[in-house]
Amino acid sequence: MRDDLDRTIAVLQGERPAPAAGEGYPQDSADAGSILSEADRTDAILHSARGQRDEVLAALTRIDDNSYGKCVDCGQEIPEGRLDARPDAARCVNCQAKWAKRHR
Ligand SMILES: [Zn+2]
């Protein structure tokens, strides 16, 4: 899973248009807008792939110190069904919901 994400990030970084240095994007044209929004989209995907990669790395660290499968907030076992769906889940459903509210 980590390797997959590394590949995804590498591909996205390769696809991302290099920052225009003085020349490049035409001003005042529809093209400029579509190129930029394309870059924005790639950025968004890249950002989420990096975030997911951090979660996977954190999960691997938890496997190493034997805390994998336990909620990092309340210490309860995370149900296996949830780990099947999200192997990198760091929190039980309740704590994840609370965490998501805090980070919105
Ligand atoms: Zn919890």
Side-chain angles (χ1 to χ4, degrees):
M1 191 160 175
R2 181 183 49 179
D3 290 346
D4 279 352
L5 285 165
D6 277 344
R7 263 195 297 278
T8 304
I9 289 166
V11 168
L12 288 170
Q13 277 171 339
E15 277 177 2
R16 201 179 159 204
E23 54 168 349
Y25 300 132
Q27 302 290 319
D28 267 344
S29 84
D31 276 359
S34 71
I35 290 169
L36 286 178
S37 69
E38 182 101 356
D40 281 351
R41 227 180 357 257
T42 307
D43 264 359
I45 297 168
L46 198 51
H47 182 79
S48 90
R50 281 192 180 127
Q52 209 185 336
R53 185 175 180 278
D54 287 346
E55 282 173 33
V56 172
L57 289 177
L60 291 171
T61 306
R62 292 196 299 280
I63 289 171
D64 280 346
D65 66 14
N66 279 324
S67 62
Y68 180 73
K70 289 193 179 118
C71 174
V72 296
D73 282 352
C74 69
Q76 303 235 7
E77 300 273 335
I78 300 171
E80 228 168 87
R82 175 160 169 73
L83 285 175
D84 282 346
R86 285 289 309 273
D88 56 335
R91 293 173 182 80
C92 66
V93 178
N94 278 342
C95 293
Q96 181 65 43
K98 284 186 214 155
W99 183 88
K101 260 182 216 161
R102 280 205 308 272
H103 288 79
R104 204 169 282 155

